[in-house]
Amino acid sequence: MTVTVNGPLPSVSYDVAVVGAGVVGCAIARELARRPRLRVALVEAQDDVGQGTSKANTAILHTGFDAVPGSLEARLVREGARQLAAFAAESGIAVEPVGALLVAWDEEQLAALPHLAEKAVRNEYGDTRLIDPPELYEREPHLGPGALGALHVPGESIICPWTTTLAYATQAVRHGVDLHLNSPVSDVSWREGGHLLTTARGTLRTRHLINAAGLHADTLDRHLGHHDFTVTPRRGQLIVFDKLARDLLHHILLPVPTALGKGVLVTPTVYGNLLLGPTAEDLDDKGATGSTAEGLALLREKGARILPTLLDEEVTAVYAGLRAATEQDDYRIAAHPEQAYITVGGIRSTGLTASMAIAAHVIGLLADTGLDLGPARDLDPVHMPNLGEAHPRPHQNAQLVAADPEYGTLVCHCERVSRGEVRDALASTVPPRNLDGLRRRTRVRAGRCQGFYCGAAVRELFEGAEA
């Protein structure tokens, strides 16, 4: 198992290099790991996997009911949803099938609901159902007044995005993929027979290249002479409400979608919170992940109509993520066989759901570029720590605590994280490099106090593991 963080990159030549260790890049690396004949590298600019769009989204496992019918995205979301649901069940990734309600607040939106139901059928999802106001308010008694009806989409679920990305990376590394962190790619040159990637840690050589660089996929594309799309970072700000607000909501509440996206929604999370957001702001800066007073005020205004009592609840945190929007309302996945190169661009918020199907699609394209993939193998399953509230946490498992009292000693009381969980994360296949990475693996410091009470103890554990 190889995970490198510092020092020069190895001088070996890889068969395939994947640039970008977000949820899609990690899924592709995992799929490549099924081919033992290949030597594979996963190259990431930052110090951990899932540091970009993958860590800051609405964490919904979509059905794809409202995708553009016939699009590549529609097919891959549909296929990916089934695959990820099965993988999550096998791997211990937290998922809750809460269902969604697409709420109409005026006559125009109400008139759009039957068309959205028809669109769902065209996307091979036939379980939607129109419901009237009495049933809507029976299902969601805290919904704001004035809703005219809704489209019920029972298949929509919530999922843990952090554990999903980490599970892919863990399985990939355990089966021979080299993960190189802190390796931003500044240049790519193609010569007959291979690519040379210039990174902050030296040069990496690879015969075939897969560009899964997210917000920077267009930049990497241009290094190889392609100008097929431009990524416009679309910022989504979100507000995280305290766990005491969780009983206010039973479904994901979706607005009728617009050209900019699905709009502002309210959704439960697998961690027991409620999310309000996101905004949809097209920016020029691919690093602009800060929240703004204007954005948060807009969310509170929208939330006051959707779920008025939510605004009386305590806010645990705010955050913002950037989606990789492009000129077309579809994924921008293309093979360039003459360069042994595949672009995986324009993967927006549905990329989490579609990740496994995107990976399978890309491997098919890779074979078409002339690479002999060799025989496929089954991967040994991984079992990830449960970060969800729907299933017992380690400190609630009497047998586990009896066998190892570290699981019964809480470090973070807000999120009920034990010393045993922190210890396991620090010793894992892809360990955290900082306290934020530890939070994504355990939920430590993610609760009501945001690390005010547990911060010193958590830092001591983290630094003790580094020593």
Side-chain angles (χ1 to χ4, degrees):
M1 298 187 293
T2 302
V3 179
T4 73
V5 184
N6 302 303
L9 294 174
S11 57
V12 301
S13 181
Y14 289 96
D15 296 304
V16 187
V18 181
V19 176
V23 69
V24 170
C26 288
I28 293 170
R30 173 190 174 274
E31 189 65 25
L32 286 167
R34 299 182 64 243
R35 309 288 179 157
R37 183 181 296 176
L38 301 179
R39 184 157 197 174
V40 180
L42 177 58
V43 183
E44 168 55 37
Q46 301 193 61
D47 66 355
D48 200 0
V49 300
Q51 284 274 55
T53 303
S54 301
K55 75 174 182 183
N57 53 49
T58 50
I60 295 174
L61 181 55
H62 296 282
T63 59
F65 77 97
D66 60 344
V68 177
S71 65
L72 179 63
E73 180 180 17
R75 177 171 69 82
L76 296 182
V77 169
R78 183 168 61 246
E79 295 173 1
R82 292 192 291 265
Q83 294 170 359
L84 181 50
F87 179 72
E90 173 189 277
S91 306
I93 298 168
V95 174
E96 290 184 48
V98 294
L101 293 169
L102 199 71
V103 181
W105 296 97
D106 58 40
E107 293 292 344
E108 182 179 357
Q109 293 177 5
L110 186 65
L113 295 184
H115 299 291
L116 287 166
E118 293 169 5
K119 189 178 188 180
V121 172
R122 291 166 63 194
N123 282 319
E124 299 182 24
Y125 184 79
D127 292 339
T128 64
R129 184 173 64 89
L130 295 169
I131 63 174
D132 58 18
E135 182 179 349
L136 174 58
Y137 281 96
E138 182 180 353
R139 286 177 172 272
E140 293 293 350
H142 296 285
L143 188 69
L148 303 181
L151 184 68
H152 184 213
V153 189
E156 298 279 296
S157 301
I158 53 177
I159 188 171
C160 178
W162 304 332
T163 312
T164 303
T165 305
L166 187 62
Y168 292 159
T170 298
Q171 215 168 18
V173 170
R174 287 181 181 176
H175 289 84
V177 172
D178 290 348
L179 171 60
H180 300 304
L181 302 169
N182 286 331
S183 303
V185 176
S186 58
D187 195 17
V188 180
S189 59
W190 158 253
R191 298 187 181 91
E192 193 64 36
H195 296 270
L196 291 178
L197 278 62
T198 303
T199 83
R201 295 175 53 202
T203 300
L204 185 140
R205 293 172 174 81
T206 182
R207 290 168 55 207
H208 292 255
L209 178 62
I210 298 174
N211 171 9
L215 292 166
H216 303 280
D218 57 341
T219 303
L220 193 58
D221 225 30
R222 282 159 177 64
H223 283 310
L224 290 168
H226 304 289
H227 298 267
D228 298 335
F229 64 93
T230 297
V231 172
T232 299
R234 181 168 293 161
R235 181 167 61 191
Q237 302 183 48
L238 297 107
I239 302 175
V240 183
F241 286 89
D242 191 85
K243 290 175 172 47
L244 294 176
R246 179 62 182 86
D247 289 342
L248 297 178
L249 189 64
H250 306 295
H251 305 74
I252 304 164
L253 297 183
L254 299 173
V256 176
T258 68
L260 281 178
K262 298 181 185 301
V264 174
L265 55 86
V266 186
T267 179
T269 73
V270 294
Y271 319 117
N273 304 92
L274 292 187
L275 275 185
L276 172 63
T279 58
E281 311 156 60
D282 285 348
L283 308 173
D284 296 322
D285 183 358
K286 293 182 179 181
T289 56
S291 299
T292 66
E294 296 80 10
L296 299 179
L298 172 66
L299 293 181
R300 292 184 68 86
E301 177 187 332
K302 298 283 188 182
R305 182 175 192 186
I306 301 168
L307 206 66
T309 53
L310 180 60
L311 300 190
D312 297 329
E313 300 294 332
E314 296 291 333
V315 171
T316 295
V318 298
Y319 68 92
L322 299 173
R323 289 101 82 190
T326 67
E327 304 90 333
Q328 291 186 10
D329 192 17
D330 200 359
Y331 296 159
R332 309 302 296 271
I333 301 177
H336 304 279
E338 72 285 355
Q339 292 179 310
Y341 169 61
I342 297 173
T343 303
V344 188
I347 312 298
R348 297 159 301 156
S349 56
T350 57
L352 170 62
T353 300
S355 53
M356 298 186 83
I358 292 173
H361 178 68
V362 168
I363 301 311
L365 294 177
L366 192 61
D368 293 341
T369 67
L371 178 63
D372 180 6
L373 299 174
R377 62 177 171 181
D378 292 332
L379 300 179
D380 295 333
V382 294
H383 187 75
M384 306 304 293
N386 166 48
L387 299 190
E389 289 293 297
H391 300 284
R393 302 290 298 285
H395 77 277
Q396 297 170 308
N397 185 328
Q399 288 184 324
L400 183 63
V401 172
D404 186 344
E406 290 280 271
Y407 290 113
T409 305
L410 294 186
V411 177
C412 171
H413 286 77
C414 292
E415 297 297 298
R416 296 175 298 156
V417 182
S418 67
R419 287 177 61 95
E421 292 167 89
V422 172
R423 177 201 61 203
D424 293 348
L426 294 173
S428 61
T429 302
V430 185
R433 304 297 163 181
N434 53 42
L435 294 178
D436 284 342
L438 183 59
R439 174 175 53 83
R440 290 191 296 274
R441 287 161 174 79
T442 63
R443 283 175 41 186
V444 72
R445 298 171 60 250
R448 185 176 303 165
C449 82
Q450 291 291 287
F452 181 83
Y453 289 102
C454 67
V458 171
R459 180 173 290 278
E460 183 179 5
L461 290 171
F462 181 79
E463 293 176 351
E466 286 190 314

